[in-house]
Amino acid sequence: FASHDTTATKTEYATSLPTGIYGLAVTGDGFFVYFTGASSKIYKLDLRANSNTPTVIAGGSASGYQDGTGSSAQFRNPLGIALSPDETYLLIVDSDAHAIRHLLLSTNGVTTIVGNTCTNGASGGCTAGYIDGAGTSSRLDNPQDIVFHPSGTFALFVEFNNNRVRRIDLRTNFLYTVTTICGTGTAGTNDGPCSTAQFNNPYRDWE
């Protein structure tokens, strides 16, 4: 997973990685890496350690949907991941849950902040949709990736099935609100103002 070469000496990091790495976020000092994997877990890697083995900080033994702490939390295909500018929490795009999840790094507690809350458990159903609104009253459809604004006051994410770019307002005392920024919802390639611009299954956001 990339090597780091500062001088003529080459150091290999993380030789024991899970299969399938999707989203990735790095702390400002370059010491810690957070990433999502195909195993529906969230990992942390300390690049200063000698073990080269990432630690699971959230996610259970199986894919599913459950808010909770550490291994009691479950994800359904987590993809994009973003580290807050103050480096206190992660936002995780839980694609098959059609939701954005919040992971507080001081406790490894996971909560759903926008999108469908689903039915708890490995077989719990999740409803996709398109509704702007506050918290879990909003509806998403296969979100893919997410990025913070440097101010930390909002984040942008893209949706594969809704063909839109949407915004989460993070300022209002944890009453997270989703609004649509760009895209008509119809797949296409039209450039233009956000009200008429089209996207065709957008997959990655800006980094």
Side-chain angles (χ1 to χ4, degrees), residues 67-79:
D67 284 346
T69 300
S71 60
S72 68
Q74 289 182 312
F75 299 88
R76 301 185 67 165
N77 195 28
L79 295 180

Side-chain angles (χ1 to χ4, degrees), residues 11-205:
T11 303
E12 297 291 338
Y13 292 127
T15 56
S16 302
L17 289 172
T19 301
I21 295 174
Y22 300 144
L24 184 135
V26 183
T27 57
D29 58 18
F31 291 153
F32 298 99
V33 179
Y34 300 95
F35 60 94
T36 59
S39 58
S40 292
K41 295 181 175 70
I42 312 303
Y43 297 85
K44 176 182 179 179
L45 178 65
D46 185 348
L47 297 178
R48 302 168 300 176
N50 295 322
S51 66
N52 294 334
T53 301
T55 301
V56 176
I57 60 172
S61 58
S63 174
Y65 175 82
Q66 181 73 56
D67 284 346
T69 300
S71 60
S72 68
Q74 289 182 312
F75 299 88
R76 301 185 67 165
N77 195 28
L79 295 180
I81 186 171
L83 179 63
S84 63
D86 64 4
E87 300 187 353
T88 60
Y89 68 95
L90 297 167
L91 291 183
I92 300 158
V93 175
D94 202 356
S95 185
D96 289 355
H98 312 295
I100 308 297
R101 318 282 295 278
H102 177 288
L103 195 163
L104 184 63
L105 292 172
S106 62
T107 64
N108 293 337
V110 176
T111 55
T112 300
I113 60 169
V114 297
N116 198 345
T117 57
C118 305
T119 302
N120 289 344
S123 60
C126 300
T127 303
Y130 171 68
I131 300 174
D132 284 341
T136 55
S137 67
S138 61
R139 289 292 177 267
L140 320 179
D141 194 346
N142 202 213
Q144 297 286 310
D145 206 359
I146 191 164
V147 64
F148 276 96
H149 185 269
S151 68
T153 59
F154 67 90
L156 300 178
F157 66 95
V158 293
E159 289 176 284
F160 190 85
N161 289 336
N162 275 334
N163 297 300
R164 291 180 167 100
V165 178
R166 301 174 76 182
R167 167 178 167 149
I168 308 174
D169 192 325
L170 303 169
R171 293 174 295 184
T172 52
N173 297 321
F174 299 101
L175 296 176
Y176 304 102
T177 302
V178 176
T179 54
T180 299
I181 300 300
C182 277
T184 64
T186 301
T189 58
N190 288 343
D191 290 337
C194 275
S195 59
T196 59
Q198 292 178 312
F199 301 91
N200 192 358
N201 302 133
Y203 183 72
R204 293 286 294 177
D205 212 325

